[in-house]
Amino acid sequence: MRMPLLVLGLSLSTLPLLAGEGMPDDGIRTFTLENGLEAVVIEDHRTPAVTHMMWYRVGAADDPPGLSGLAHYLEHMMFKGTHNLAEGEFSRIVRENGGEENAFTSYDYTGYFQRIAADRLELVMEMEADRMANLAPPPASAESELAVVMEERRQVVENRPGGIFNEERRAVQFINHPYGRPVIGWMHELENLVIDDFLAFHGEHYAPNNAILIVAGDVTVEEVEELARKHYGPIPDNPDLEPRQRTVIAPQQAARRVEYTDPRVQNPYVIRTYLAEPRRPGDQDEAAALAVLAEVLGNGLTSVLAQELRVKEDFALDVGAYYGDLALDRTTFGVYVTPNPGVTLAEAEARMDQVIADFLATGVDPELLERIKTRLRAAEIYARDNIGGRARQIGAALTAGLDVEDVRAWPEALAAVTAEDVMAAAHEVFRPEASVTGWLRGTGEGVEPGEVVFDDTEVSGQ
């Protein structure tokens, strides 16, 4: 099974930063420059290395109508040269200095990062500031890179039954909302993108007052602020930056279904997603209950779905649950079953529905709930060892409208979830009229292992 960015109820933010009672200082410091650039510094002096990240509050959901894929295309073009650096020189310099770098685009953000020795921080900061202010790729590279993007779409969507299926399901789930468009863009719209499109998009959105700098590792906040003022401080803000314009997700009053058949599918599966509320600034209790609910239902062999369909009876190859807790607008909660060979998707859907109905009737096992909360607390501790992961957690949260205090409060919100909270969340989210049920099936001659794709919400790589 493919493990996408957000799976089985454990998102980037479900393994959060630690700030609970009796725990040490989390090392997080913040400052803001006069031009509006927000900065977060995570001090961790265990190794002489840093992760430098620049996040922009703009993503695929902000693509202009008819220009889907533009935010992701611009991400590619950010590596193609500035007034000061030739095409490919950014990556070459990072590589020659022993570092690594890449970028990623999602619905609500676009991010760029470098991992490098701490004494090379100024080097990468200077180059990142340069492409924020001075992007100037040659026209020829724009055309060739668009061909690269279209080939990437073929690889991650059109050549993968799960990718096609996921794309169709999102379009049905998010009617009248840009979350229903693929991050990588529709092919017929990609074909029409030109250099003026991404240059205008860059000029509007890639400004310091629409960006978040995150530096994590062997640094101090004083060092980072000095360098940020030197390299990012002179870049003017965009006084004409408009608030994000998002259509309201259309009210769903009837259950929807999507069925996709592909001869390459060997292991068919049934998946159902429900509209759900994400984490909100200052109010994360409902989201915390949904995150724990996903763990209870579908994470590991002790989960409800696994116990019923894999342990007690040999019915399914795989089961799972999912909740995307970070989004500016509404998100999804999902469950799926990949049945054993010989079990039809209709039978799999019926058994999945019965397990959920029984759960709603009987409630959550208190012992299971405590084990899950203990596991989450342990995950919080282990997450501190991944300094790059901590930076990702904060960036994803801040671009979804949260702040650092919300990130700090998330572990406490998870720890405070009760059995009553879990069941209230379950009764609220499992509303048939707010669901999309999907069947991905083959034609009997499968040549590709089954892969469950909940939501391809992020595209990585240049």
Side-chain angles (χ1 to χ4, degrees), residues 58 64 67 70 74 135 137 194-207 238 241:
V58 64
L67 299 178
L70 181 58
L74 172 57
L135 184 65
V194 297
I195 188 170
D196 289 343
D197 293 328
F198 71 75
L199 288 176
F201 198 72
H202 178 276
E204 178 180 0
H205 298 287
Y206 278 47
N238 178 8
L241 184 68

Side-chain angles (χ1 to χ4, degrees), residues 164-244:
I164 298 172
F165 180 51
N166 172 71
E167 191 171 87
E168 295 294 333
R169 287 191 304 104
R170 286 195 67 91
V172 171
Q173 183 94 68
F174 293 102
I175 293 174
N176 193 45
H177 191 275
Y179 285 173
R181 301 191 302 245
V183 170
I184 204 166
W186 302 111
M187 184 66 84
H188 68 281
E189 293 185 346
L190 286 175
E191 293 170 344
N192 296 321
L193 295 180
V194 297
I195 188 170
D196 289 343
D197 293 328
F198 71 75
L199 288 176
F201 198 72
H202 178 276
E204 178 180 0
H205 298 287
Y206 278 47
N209 54 321
N210 200 39
I212 302 166
L213 168 68
I214 301 180
V215 180
D218 190 20
V219 293
T220 66
V221 65
E222 293 80 11
E223 293 169 343
V224 174
E225 184 169 0
E226 180 181 357
L227 292 175
R229 289 189 178 280
K230 177 180 178 180
H231 295 291
Y232 293 115
I235 302 175
D237 65 358
N238 178 8
D240 300 321
L241 184 68
E242 296 287 340
R244 285 175 158 176

Side-chain angles (χ1 to χ4, degrees), residues 43-324:
E43 296 189 24
D44 187 321
H45 303 286
R46 289 176 293 180
T47 58
V50 294
T51 294
H52 172 272
M53 308 187 82
M54 183 59 70
W55 295 70
Y56 293 95
R57 290 185 175 94
V58 64
D62 304 296
D63 290 339
L67 299 178
S68 65
L70 181 58
H72 175 245
Y73 180 32
L74 172 57
E75 175 217 307
H76 279 241
M77 295 309 301
M78 287 286 282
F79 295 86
K80 299 303 176 181
T82 69
H83 293 302
N84 303 305
L85 293 175
E87 180 176 356
E89 195 170 0
F90 187 111
S91 298
R92 178 185 61 78
I93 292 172
V94 172
R95 185 172 60 251
E96 290 179 351
N97 280 271
E100 59 179 350
E101 43 86 53
N102 214 319
F104 42 85
T105 305
S106 189
Y107 283 104
D108 297 321
Y109 58 75
T110 309
Y112 304 83
F113 72 89
Q114 302 86 37
R115 297 189 187 98
I116 203 162
D119 62 359
R120 301 292 195 274
L121 174 60
E122 183 170 13
L123 173 66
V124 296
M125 190 178 289
E126 180 181 12
M127 293 194 298
E128 194 67 76
D130 179 45
R131 65 181 178 181
M132 177 190 287
N134 302 306
L135 184 65
S141 70
E143 184 175 344
S144 62
E145 197 62 27
L146 183 58
V148 171
V149 171
M150 289 191 288
E151 178 58 28
E152 183 180 359
R153 179 187 159 80
R154 294 185 188 97
Q155 292 178 3
V156 302
V157 179
E158 295 171 6
N159 292 342
R160 298 167 50 224
I164 298 172
F165 180 51
N166 172 71
E167 191 171 87
E168 295 294 333
R169 287 191 304 104
R170 286 195 67 91
V172 171
Q173 183 94 68
F174 293 102
I175 293 174
N176 193 45
H177 191 275
Y179 285 173
R181 301 191 302 245
V183 170
I184 204 166
W186 302 111
M187 184 66 84
H188 68 281
E189 293 185 346
L190 286 175
E191 293 170 344
N192 296 321
L193 295 180
V194 297
I195 188 170
D196 289 343
D197 293 328
F198 71 75
L199 288 176
F201 198 72
H202 178 276
E204 178 180 0
H205 298 287
Y206 278 47
N209 54 321
N210 200 39
I212 302 166
L213 168 68
I214 301 180
V215 180
D218 190 20
V219 293
T220 66
V221 65
E222 293 80 11
E223 293 169 343
V224 174
E225 184 169 0
E226 180 181 357
L227 292 175
R229 289 189 178 280
K230 177 180 178 180
H231 295 291
Y232 293 115
I235 302 175
D237 65 358
N238 178 8
D240 300 321
L241 184 68
E242 296 287 340
R244 285 175 158 176
Q245 301 296 320
R246 296 284 180 83
T247 55
V248 177
I249 294 176
Q252 186 173 343
Q253 302 179 54
R256 301 166 185 162
R257 300 187 68 87
V258 176
E259 297 184 15
Y260 178 63
T261 302
D262 192 300
R264 296 170 292 179
V265 175
Q266 189 174 35
N267 295 322
Y269 62 88
V270 57
I271 179 172
R272 182 177 297 127
T273 51
Y274 300 82
L275 287 175
E277 291 298 320
R279 290 162 61 183
R280 297 298 186 192
D283 182 11
Q284 302 180 95
D285 292 346
E286 181 180 357
L290 286 167
V292 174
L293 173 63
E295 295 284 304
V296 168
L297 284 177
N299 188 12
L301 283 178
T302 60
S303 67
V304 172
L305 283 167
Q307 280 290 302
E308 294 298 324
L309 302 183
R310 297 188 63 192
V311 177
K312 294 181 180 179
E313 57 179 299
D314 186 16
F315 183 88
L317 295 171
D318 202 6
V319 298
Y322 153 86
Y323 169 58

